[in-house]
Amino acid sequence: MSVLLISADLMTSSKVAPACAAAGLSCVTALNGATAADGLSPTTRWVLVDLSAPGLRPAELVAAVRASTAPAARIVAFGPHVHEAALAAAVAAGCDTVCSRGEFFARLPQLLAS
């Protein structure tokens, strides 16, 4: 099983990768929305979306995941709590879970274990 992380932030990657390893999952990182589909595979269980990633269009991303080889992957979007419009766009796009960055990191081990 694997996780696709969409984020250009090295600090985010450095926190997510060890959490994935601890859950027995491999982690693939896409630096932006344009290259995200390249990281999907039939074993992708989670798509973790940093809403600050460049070129990210939540509605297009959700549609691409659902039409991919990993249509059942759970999509979790996260971003700064002050970016209310971006969080709302992720909800409207159909992400399975949308939360603030702080909540995401606090819940990450539990999310990956479920």
Side-chain angles (χ1 to χ4, degrees):
M1 295 289 200
S2 66
V3 173
L4 171 61
L5 169 64
I6 304 167
S7 180
D9 181 10
L10 293 176
M11 292 300 292
T12 296
S13 299
S14 70
K15 291 178 182 178
V16 170
C20 290
L25 303 165
S26 62
C27 184
V28 175
T29 301
L31 298 178
N32 56 54
T35 62
D38 297 337
L40 290 168
S41 78
T43 66
T44 303
R45 181 173 177 188
W46 295 98
V47 178
L48 308 178
V49 184
D50 180 348
L51 294 171
S52 301
L56 188 68
R57 293 185 176 97
E60 290 176 18
L61 175 66
V62 170
V65 171
R66 298 300 177 230
S68 76
T69 59
R74 305 273 303 159
I75 303 171
V76 178
F78 61 95
H81 70 279
V82 295
H83 292 174
E84 294 172 5
L87 295 168
V91 169
C95 292
D96 297 301
T97 303
V98 179
C99 54
S100 70
R101 183 175 296 281
E103 182 181 0
F104 170 75
F105 286 115
R107 293 179 50 200
L108 184 58
Q110 292 83 10
L111 280 170
L112 296 176
S114 64

